[in-house]
Amino acid sequence: MILQRLFQIAASACSLYSTLCFIRIILSWIPGVLATRPGQLLCSIVDPYMNLFRKLPLTIGMIDFSPIVSMGLLSLVSSILNNIASTGILNVKNILMGLDQFLWSICFTIGMIFLVLIAVRLIVLAIHKGTTPYNSGWARIDYYIQDRIFKISHVYTRGKPCSYKTALLLSLLSTIFFLIITFAIYTGLAILFSFIPF
């Protein structure tokens, strides 16, 4: 009973720490807030953990996915600890299902952000009849995503040059395919893990 209570406290601590991470992310969007004494205190608590993930290659263009991964991992650990606290045993099936859910949520988040970015970019190109002013915000987005867009399109064109619009369309279709495949893998693994008896 005491051990289960300790696991419950640890799970609550993970949830609280995840909430602090989320608050720190939101406050980073408000200029000057993190420079205040409470902001600096929050950063001193949260940044050592979040900086571990910033060293990983989790940035696509101007979007840093390391906070999503760091918070997702805390959520996974909290879920495992809660499961142990409620059942009193370490359930392998629930750990594997939680890990499967964690990996799918990361793939889904990255895929959807990339998908929306490409779709919006295609719409803007259609509205502006294929041209974008050099100093616009869209030119900055192009700067960040064009390398990845053309790497994806080169798989289909076998390295032959193609237009930016074609590269965007191929990347859009590839991202949709990626989301379908990762969802199928996630679902298949969830079904497989449900048969584990322990």
Side-chain angles (χ1 to χ4, degrees), residues 46-168:
V46 169
D47 283 359
Y49 170 72
M50 294 186 78
N51 287 341
L52 296 172
F53 296 88
R54 289 193 179 108
K55 296 173 184 175
L56 300 174
L58 297 171
T59 302
I60 297 176
M62 58 187 170
I63 303 170
D64 181 12
F65 291 98
S66 62
I68 294 169
V69 175
S70 63
M71 289 175 57
L73 188 59
L74 282 172
S75 176
L76 174 64
V77 170
S78 177
S79 174
I80 291 169
L81 292 172
N82 267 324
N83 184 266
I84 294 170
S86 63
T87 63
I89 57 169
L90 182 62
N91 191 320
V92 174
K93 174 170 62 174
N94 288 340
I95 291 172
L96 291 174
M97 290 182 88
L99 184 60
D100 186 33
Q101 174 70 40
F102 167 66
L103 293 173
W104 159 245
S105 66
I106 290 172
C107 290
F108 178 76
T109 302
I110 292 171
M112 284 305 294
I113 289 172
F114 201 55
L115 186 71
V116 168
L117 203 58
I118 294 169
V120 170
R121 189 65 189 101
L122 278 166
I123 292 167
V124 170
L125 271 177
I127 291 170
H128 291 282
K129 298 185 175 31
T131 61
T132 304
Y134 177 73
N135 59 353
S136 73
W138 294 110
R140 187 180 305 236
I141 289 172
D142 289 340
Y143 172 78
Y144 287 116
I145 67 171
Q146 68 185 357
D147 285 344
R148 286 160 188 85
I149 298 290
F150 281 114
K151 280 180 184 173
I152 292 169
S153 66
H154 283 174
V155 172
Y156 299 100
T157 63
R158 299 175 192 235
K160 293 178 183 174
C162 65
S163 69
Y164 188 55
K165 186 176 179 181
T166 302
L168 282 169

